[in-house]
Amino acid sequence: MAYPDGLLGEDEHVVVHRHPHWKMLVLPVVVLFVVAGGGSYAAALIAPTSWHVIGWSALAVVGAVLLVWLTLAPVVRWRTTHFVITTHRLMVREGVFTRSGVDIPMSRINSVRFRHGFVDRLLGCGTLVVESAADEPLEFDDIPDVERVHTLLYREVNQDWSRDRDAGQEW
C-alpha cells in the first residue's frame, strides 16, 4: 500500500514505506486461538446444564470483548502505523481514533543508527535510532529490514545535504 500522494510535497517521493514488523501480531493471534479454544471448551462444559443459554450468552460477550480488545485493536493499530521515508523527510504516523505523527526534515537528521538483538536478527527487524536537532534521539522499534532502511535513510540524508550544498554554490 503506497503512502497517499496528497500528503507529499510537489517534488517529494516515497523511498520507504513500512508498517511495524509482523512480530507485533504474534501475541494477538495467540490470544485469538486461546479465546476461541477456551470459549469452545467452556461452551461444551455448559451445554448439559439447564442454564446453558445464559452461559453461552455470557461466554459470547466475554469472548467478543476479549477478541476486540486483545486481537482486533492491536491489528488495527499495526495497520494504521506508518514509517515513511521520503526524499525530503522522515515521517511516522500512528493511531486509530487519535492520530499522532512525527516529521523530521532530512536536513535536521544528524545521525542514523540501528540495533537488533539475536531474535530481531532472526526475524529481520530492529530498532532505528535517529538523532536530530531534538534533545534526545528518537527510537523507532520493530522496523522490518532495519539494516536496509538504515542504509536508505542514510543515503537520503547525504543526498539532501549534497542538494543543499549544491544549491548554496549557485548563489
Side-chain angles (χ1 to χ4, degrees):
M1 175 180 169
Y3 198 74
D5 290 334
L7 300 177
L8 302 177
E10 287 182 25
D11 60 340
E12 188 174 21
H13 305 286
V14 173
V15 176
V16 174
H17 178 210
R18 299 272 197 265
H19 294 285
H21 194 267
W22 57 263
K23 79 176 187 177
M24 290 182 62
L25 300 177
V26 170
L27 186 59
V29 169
V30 169
V31 167
L32 172 69
F33 288 130
V34 168
V35 168
S40 298
Y41 181 72
L45 289 177
I46 293 173
T49 64
S50 60
W51 46 273
H52 64 276
V53 174
I54 295 171
W56 286 344
S57 299
L59 278 174
V61 168
V62 169
V65 167
L66 287 175
L67 289 178
V68 167
W69 184 33
L70 299 175
T71 300
L72 185 62
V75 169
V76 170
R77 195 174 311 116
W78 172 84
R79 187 71 180 124
T80 59
T81 300
H82 301 272
F83 180 85
V84 181
I85 298 172
T86 71
T87 51
H88 297 299
R89 58 189 164 154
L90 165 67
M91 300 186 299
V92 177
R93 301 286 188 266
E94 55 190 1
V96 179
F97 298 113
T98 303
R99 300 278 296 162
S100 64
V102 174
D103 286 14
I104 306 172
M106 290 296 171
S107 60
R108 294 294 193 121
I109 295 176
N110 297 331
S111 71
V112 182
R113 295 180 288 138
F114 71 91
R115 70 171 176 268
H116 49 129
F118 181 70
V119 173
D120 285 342
R121 286 179 33 212
L122 287 176
L123 296 175
C125 65
T127 300
L128 190 69
V129 181
V130 177
E131 291 185 27
S132 65
D135 291 338
E136 293 188 23
L138 297 172
E139 295 189 6
F140 304 103
D141 297 322
D142 298 326
I143 303 295
D145 201 11
V146 71
E147 288 186 55
R148 182 173 178 273
V149 171
H150 167 267
T151 301
L152 291 171
L153 179 57
Y154 183 76
R155 194 172 297 150
E156 287 300 318
V157 167
N158 284 332
Q159 285 179 0
D160 189 62
W161 182 81
S162 296
R163 281 189 295 258
D164 288 348
R165 186 191 67 207
D166 293 343
Q169 288 177 351
E170 293 175 5
W171 294 99

